[in-house]
Amino acid sequence: MTAPTLATVSEKVRAGERLNAADALALFLEADILSIGQLANGVREKRHGNAAFFNKNMRLEVTNVCVASCLFCSFAKLEAHMPGAHTMSLAEAWHELEVRMDDPPGEIHVVNGLHPGLPFSYYEDLLSGFKRIKSDVHLKCFTAVEIHFFAQHYKMTVREVLERLVAAGLGSLPGGGAEIFAPEVRTRISDDKATGAEWLEVHRVAHAMGLKTNATMLYGHIETFEHRIDHLLQLRALQDETGGFQAFIPLAFHPDGNGMKNLPAPTAIDDLRTLSISRLVLDNFDHIKAYWVSSTPKIAQIALRFGADDLDGTIVHETIYHAAGSTSPQGLAYGELVRLIREAGRTPIERDTLYNIVREFAPNEVPEAAMKVRDRKANRHLAVVS
Ligand code: V47
């Protein structure tokens, strides 16, 4: 059999045929990034037309104390008494939502370290406390790695952990902690937490309970293209089985302040290529997110023409990537997200976590907040001119 080429892969995509590992590798080795982007864009437009989704969310890391020592992590502290270690009291965590209640987030996305010294009730109370403050807030909390840790640490099954968290208000699982599934990479970059198979099993159980979840892949460190492809194919296989994934989010490795700081960060071309290939390989995933914190708002905006249909959200106060040297802002104003999407020629659609439409913008509609930014800029400009 002859090796796949851009032409044969393009033919398969146009015919709606599923890509295999060799097809994906041909795309990783292909120089013509614009053709790959165009193919992915075609798939994206077939699914979503001109729509580009975003949401109003808030990120919270309640503790960075973590028994795992991942080589890529610039955020975790091994022990609670180490300098820089922090664990919020429940009142402090709830306060983060309380102070935003004049313009509340629709979603709270919580990712933490694996803290060995907290009772399980801390996490249940955390969730139920958020719900007390805002009963309709969606709680997208705890990666599969955290859920796996809870099961081991508190001696429960994964299902029991999830059932108790759902009873406390959990709405869905975020996609973090997936990194790269292949054991030869995973054992080198994160040896002391859930394996790839365990990560997938947590999502399998969550899906069986009717929970929606996301999936990520941390790329651009020591893995090869073959490892990335293997990762995507394992996600695709689980999605065939359960249908429970909503979105896939490729995460660009940030090297500052961690055990792989000698490595360069992935380039813009790698970011766009990886995102486009993800769109093409994950033919059973509805959404591909360009996470602007990881890739920068500018690359995320371009990604809306390379296969992405979602920009995540306003986020507000991200810390994991900023610890690793991200130069993206810590949050984006609602109006700024709308502007990024519009100027990419897409139609901004505010969604909730489960992709129900919250607000669709008419072609020339400018959100209130964006007008304020524009007026401020205009005033500053006029002040300079006058
Ligand atoms: O699990 C940690 C990654 C993840 C670094 O589900 C790093 O909607 C790059 O999972 N360089 C957390 N990446 C973020 C995450 C996420 C983000 C956006 C949306 C969703 C979603 C999930 O960040 C971690 C880890 O894989 N990470 N350190 C680093 N130095």
Side-chain angles (χ1 to χ4, degrees), residues 72 109 140 174-177 179 214 218 249 252 254 289 291 321 324:
F72 55 79
H109 175 181
K140 183 178 82 176
E179 326 315 357
N214 290 337
L218 179 68
I249 309 117
H254 282 250
K289 254 192 217 183
Y291 183 46
Y321 276 79

Side-chain angles (χ1 to χ4, degrees), residues 320-343:
I320 294 182
Y321 276 79
H322 289 84
S326 168
T327 52
S328 297
Q330 283 199 317
L332 273 186
Y334 186 94
E336 193 55 19
L337 273 173
V338 170
R339 192 170 77 94
L340 283 176
I341 293 172
R342 265 252 169 75
E343 291 197 1

Side-chain angles (χ1 to χ4, degrees), residues 57 59 71-75 107 109 111 140 143 145 173-179 193 213-219 247 249 251-256 258 289 291 294 312 315 318 320-321 323-325 351:
N57 62 353
R59 267 298 285 277
L71 217 51
F72 55 79
C73 187
S74 319
F75 156 82
E107 165 191 295
H109 175 181
V111 178
K140 183 178 82 176
T143 67
V145 166
L173 293 187
E179 326 315 357
K193 69 180 190 189
T213 74
N214 290 337
T216 58
M217 172 174 76
L218 179 68
Y219 67 91
I249 309 117
L251 297 174
F253 168 61
H254 282 250
D256 283 10
N258 58 54
K289 254 192 217 183
Y291 183 46
S294 133
D312 201 79
I315 299 179
E318 200 281 338
I320 294 182
Y321 276 79
R351 59 161 176 89

